[in-house]
Amino acid sequence: VLLCIIYSYPIITEKLLVLGYLGAGVSFISFSAPISQIVEVVQTRSTIPLSFSMCFASILCGLSWMTFGMLNKDNFVNIPNGVGCVLSCVQLAMFGLFPP
């Protein structure tokens, strides 16, 4: 995919734009993957399917990259990681609502 993008777009700004959208999309998919586990937690009223350490690490990772995106004024980094932080906070809140 990257080779197609590199050779398809002659102008460097177009390449960066396409790669930015692709990276933001992959990041969003990565952060939103555990949503199915949230549905299972609500249905079973138990947080056994979730990993507390993974949720916490996801928040820290999202916050650090969101801060990096803010400092560099890069919305392709900032927005998906901000959404990821919110989704990770929702996961972490499940531990308070439904104990294991």
Side-chain angles (χ1 to χ4, degrees), residues 2 15 33 35 43 45 58 71 81 95-96:
L2 292 176
K15 290 179 190 180
I35 289 178
Q43 288 174 346
R45 297 191 163 288
S58 184
L71 292 174
N81 287 292
F95 285 95

Side-chain angles (χ1 to χ4, degrees), residues 2-19:
L2 292 176
L3 288 176
C4 291
I5 292 170
I6 290 170
Y7 291 113
S8 298
Y9 295 96
I11 301 171
I12 190 74
T13 56
E14 290 177 358
K15 290 179 190 180
L16 292 176
L17 190 65
V18 171
L19 287 173

Side-chain angles (χ1 to χ4, degrees), residues 7-54:
Y7 291 113
S8 298
Y9 295 96
I11 301 171
I12 190 74
T13 56
E14 290 177 358
K15 290 179 190 180
L16 292 176
L17 190 65
V18 171
L19 287 173
Y21 281 122
L22 182 65
V26 169
S27 179
F28 180 74
I29 289 170
S30 173
F31 274 117
S32 63
I35 289 178
S36 61
Q37 291 177 336
I38 292 175
V39 171
E40 184 180 345
V41 166
V42 171
Q43 288 174 346
T44 62
R45 297 191 163 288
S46 173
T47 55
I48 291 174
L50 293 177
S51 167
F52 181 82
S53 58
M54 187 68 164

